[in-house]
Amino acid sequence: MKRLPLSLALGAMLVSPLSLAKTVEAVASFTVLADIVKQVGGDRVHVKSLVGPNGDPHTFEPTPQDSQALAGAQVVFVSGLGLEGWMDRLISASGYRGRVVVASSGINSRTMDEEGKTITDPHAWNSMQNGVIYATNVMNALIRVDPDDAATFRQRGAHYIQQLQSLDHWAKTAFAAVPPEKRKVLTSHDAFGYFGQRYGVTFLAPVGFSTEAEASASDMAAIIRQLKAEQIHTYFMENQTDPRLVQQIAHETGAQPGGELYPEALSEANGPAATYTAAFRHNVDAMLQSMKP
């Protein structure tokens, strides 16, 4: 029997189905969505987040490196609902011609009237019920891109969705135990509308859906009057926004700081909100703490 040279024999032993498994190159618009892709995809997916930790997806300005990342991607994930106003320009500049997956597809969106215009609220992921829709859309998209690994994506996706459903139930139960008049929170901008709708929490903010919006003097006066009338004594900063505006309101009302929330950007890996689920749990815990008598 003819024998292989030792080097070739060792090489054949080292080659396994796992080592031959391909990795899907994915790009996600911001950290929350990138983490969902990572949790569903596992080691079968390499995902780059365009907006980094503690970054503001409203005011993000893409770089040439971001364009290069899109050019080499097999699939691009966006949240949609108007969050990534810069994405179309970036896709055009990169020459990307692949699939763009809108993770919010199927969600009943919220709107508000802002200066005579109807604006869609893009922060759908802050309701964990919607997070399940995001994860399902991501799972189905990865299966389309890499059908050979469909079983892995389905298994990981189902396990992750169960985690999100458990968190949703936990948050609903926890807030239901708080008297409605205590379920009120002051934040920097209106990023928690879906959260408030799902969990029965009222949010007050000096500016609207986008951090690029500016609060007028009348807006400031109105929210200060409301905070005093409703006796809201705690305010929260957001990790991706300038805190000075909400601090000014707090100074006028005597509200005390309740900590930092993570509505649209995860923290660094060693921070308290390094994943989507960790950010949600942190936000819920911080709010509940502020509502205690």
Side-chain angles (χ1 to χ4, degrees):
M1 183 177 72
K2 186 175 180 181
R3 296 185 177 181
L4 289 171
L6 180 60
S7 60
L8 291 178
L10 288 173
M13 292 171 62
L14 292 172
V15 174
S16 67
L18 285 177
S19 64
L20 291 173
K22 57 184 178 293
T23 302
V24 175
E25 291 296 326
V27 169
S29 56
F30 71 126
T31 52
V32 172
L33 183 53
D35 182 63
I36 294 173
V37 176
K38 179 180 178 181
Q39 299 302 325
V40 175
D43 60 7
R44 298 292 199 272
V45 177
H46 173 260
V47 57
K48 172 183 171 56
S49 178
L50 296 175
V51 184
N54 301 310
D56 188 338
H58 298 286
T59 60
F60 177 69
E61 295 183 3
T63 67
Q65 288 75 23
D66 296 320
S67 182
Q68 291 172 10
L70 253 71
Q74 294 170 262
V75 59
V76 172
F77 293 91
V78 300
S79 182
L81 302 177
L83 178 70
E84 305 97 339
W86 38 268
M87 182 58 86
D88 287 345
R89 298 190 304 273
L90 178 59
I91 289 174
S92 178
S94 71
Y96 176 74
R97 294 291 182 268
R99 183 184 299 274
V100 177
V101 178
V102 181
S104 64
S105 293
I107 285 171
N108 292 323
S109 61
R110 297 177 67 253
T111 59
M112 73 177 292
D113 184 72
E114 197 170 84
E115 297 180 354
K117 297 180 180 179
T118 301
I119 308 296
T120 299
D121 184 351
H123 307 94
W125 62 88
N126 281 321
S127 157
M128 197 52 79
Q129 183 184 44
N130 288 340
V132 169
I133 296 176
Y134 274 66
T136 302
N137 288 335
V138 166
M139 178 181 67
N140 291 337
L142 290 177
I143 289 170
R144 286 195 299 270
V145 173
D146 179 14
D148 291 342
D149 286 319
T152 297
F153 297 142
R154 286 195 182 96
Q155 181 180 25
R156 292 186 62 89
H159 178 69
Y160 186 55
I161 286 167
Q162 285 182 341
Q163 292 182 49
L164 304 188
Q165 290 171 331
S166 294
L167 283 172
D168 179 59
H169 176 73
W170 164 70
K172 279 186 71 69
T173 302
F175 282 115
V178 177
E181 65 273 13
K182 295 290 186 182
R183 286 186 240 140
K184 296 174 182 177
V185 177
L186 170 63
T187 58
S188 299
H189 83 295
D190 195 0
F192 284 100
Y194 293 93
F195 185 107
Q197 188 178 56
R198 177 65 176 167
Y199 306 113
V201 180
T202 298
F203 288 88
L204 302 175
V207 297
F209 294 152
S210 174
T211 54
E212 295 179 292
E214 295 183 0
S216 66
S218 60
D219 291 335
M220 292 281 285
I223 200 168
I224 288 169
R225 287 195 301 271
Q226 187 174 2
L227 288 168
K228 289 179 176 178
E230 299 185 17
Q231 298 184 331
I232 298 175
H233 303 299
T234 307
Y235 72 92
F236 288 94
M237 295 178 290
E238 298 171 9
N239 67 316
Q240 85 295 355
T241 61
D242 188 330
R244 287 176 294 181
L245 186 59
V246 73
Q247 287 173 335
Q248 180 184 342
I249 294 171
H251 177 74
E252 296 291 334
T253 62
Q256 298 300 306
E260 193 169 50
L261 300 179
Y262 296 82
E264 56 191 21
L266 301 182
S267 66
E268 299 285 353
N270 61 351
T275 65
Y276 174 44
T277 55
F280 181 81
R281 185 176 289 277
H282 170 91
N283 291 342
V284 172
D285 282 336
M287 292 178 206
L288 288 172
Q289 186 67 28
S290 76
M291 296 171 186
K292 288 183 177 180

